[in-house]
């Protein structure tokens, strides 16, 4: 059976109203003060940074966003009976909201829908933490151990989860088709997965508005808007 790997980046979620925060030209990189809010050492050492981070999370569009046609096209491919694995650079959880089973989605940069304790690693739901912030706790502590809480996203200065990365690598090596969608393929190691897939014989398809460093190696490059081009492309792989 054909295994289709989907590597998704910020571009698949812009139709859902979520800006590109992390990319090379993303919000964080253009504003050093904003970048501090998502830099591990600054976050851990400065309570004011944490208070600003919590206020920002409360205002974030990510938790209110809805999946769009691109996310739904991936789910429809999976429901057609084709083996699909999603590797995403996004932290918005929209693939799962669109119906992809949790176990078939690898979140390279974690998720903004959970919080994690930096001391005991207990996880809980982001909305619960935001309710505490709204009720007046400007830097809510872990309810289990009192440690500092953070979003369950991978901050700058933190390493990616090696287990998630290992699974992503295995999928890149095993898949017959690798579709990189809405990613500039400039942030490693996520980007290099496209090269690994091509090295192992996968058909490489790049769906992105802008050129990427892997376009030369791609079997197919699609520049049309994701919301229309991805559903059309993925229908070709339905079981
Ligand atoms: Zn804790």
């Amino acid at each position: 059976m054909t295994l289709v790997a989907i590597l998704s980046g910020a571009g698949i979620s812009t139709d859902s109203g979520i800006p590109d925060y992390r990319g090379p030209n993303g919000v964080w990189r253009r504003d050093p003060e904003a970048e501090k809010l998502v830099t591990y050492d600054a976050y851990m050492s400065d309570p004011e940074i944490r208070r600003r981070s919590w206020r920002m999370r409360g205002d974030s569009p990510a938790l209110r966003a809805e999946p769009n046609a691109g996310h739904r096209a991936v789910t429809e491919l999976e429901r057609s009976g084709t083996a699909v694995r999603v590797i995403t650079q996004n932290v918005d959880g929209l693939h799962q909201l669109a119906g992809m089973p949790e176990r078939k989605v690898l979140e390279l940069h974690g998720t903004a829908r959970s919080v994690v304790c930096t001391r005991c690693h207990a996880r809980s739901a982001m909305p619960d933490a935001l309710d505490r912030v709204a009720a007046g706790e400007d830097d809510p502590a872990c309810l289990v151990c009192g440690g500092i809480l953070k979003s369950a996203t991978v901050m700058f200065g933190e390493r990616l989860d090696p287990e998630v990365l290992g699974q992503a690598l295995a999928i890149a090596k095993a898949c017959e088709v690798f579709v990189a969608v809405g990613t500039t393929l400039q942030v490693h190691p996520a980007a290099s997965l496209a090269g690994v897939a091509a090295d192992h014989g996968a058909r490489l398809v790049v769906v992105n508005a802008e050129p990427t460093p892997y376009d030369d190696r791609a079997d197919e490059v699609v520049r049309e808007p994701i919301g229309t081009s991805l559903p059309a492309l993925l229908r070709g792989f339905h079981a």
Side-chain angles (χ1 to χ4, degrees):
M1 187 158 84
T2 303
L3 173 61
V4 179
I6 310 281
L7 173 67
S8 66
I12 199 173
S13 292
T14 49
D15 282 351
S16 295
I18 301 176
D20 179 5
Y21 290 105
R22 305 187 59 111
N25 302 309
V27 176
W28 302 140
R29 292 299 188 188
R30 283 185 281 109
D31 180 350
E33 279 305 305
E35 187 168 336
K36 271 190 203 166
L37 303 181
V38 289
T39 299
Y40 187 79
D41 286 346
Y43 186 87
M44 293 301 289
S45 62
D46 187 345
E48 179 54 27
I49 295 272
R50 294 199 292 279
R51 287 191 283 269
R52 286 176 54 203
S53 294
W54 283 111
R55 288 198 294 273
M56 184 192 67
R57 288 170 192 141
D59 295 337
S60 166
L63 287 176
R64 290 180 292 275
E66 297 287 336
N68 63 56
H71 301 103
R72 288 193 292 272
V74 175
T75 303
E76 282 160 18
L77 176 62
E78 197 267 338
R79 288 182 179 165
S80 79
T82 298
V84 179
R85 294 292 183 276
V86 174
I87 304 164
T88 187
Q89 296 172 278
N90 300 336
V91 298
D92 52 40
L94 292 182
H95 283 293
Q96 297 92 320
L97 264 190
M100 274 301 288
E102 298 268 347
R103 65 190 170 81
K104 296 187 177 179
V105 181
L106 291 173
E107 297 174 307
L108 292 172
H109 294 152
T111 176
R113 293 185 182 270
S114 299
V115 299
V116 63
C117 175
T118 56
R119 186 191 290 161
C120 76
H121 307 297
R123 289 171 79 96
S124 53
M126 176 63 80
D128 293 348
L130 291 178
D131 284 349
R132 293 171 62 192
V133 175
E137 291 183 70
D138 55 7
D139 181 18
C142 174
L143 292 172
V144 178
C145 79
I148 293 172
L149 289 183
K150 65 181 279 294
S151 166
T153 51
V154 178
M155 288 182 166
F156 295 118
E158 285 189 288
R159 64 175 192 163
L160 304 191
D161 182 331
E163 191 175 323
V164 171
L165 199 54
Q167 289 176 29
L169 204 55
I171 290 165
K173 288 177 181 172
C175 67
E176 279 81 33
V177 180
F178 188 97
V179 182
V181 52
T183 167
T184 54
L185 295 175
Q186 289 179 41
V187 179
H188 290 276
S192 49
L193 293 169
V196 169
D199 287 344
H200 285 76
R203 177 177 176 79
L204 177 61
V205 185
V206 173
V207 185
N208 198 54
E210 305 293 329
T212 82
Y214 289 87
D215 289 0
D216 288 347
R217 300 198 60 192
D219 297 285
E220 187 177 352
V221 176
V222 179
R223 294 256 179 271
E224 277 73 53
I226 292 167
T228 48
S229 67
L230 192 65
L233 175 79
L234 295 187
R235 272 194 292 275
F237 300 115
H238 277 210

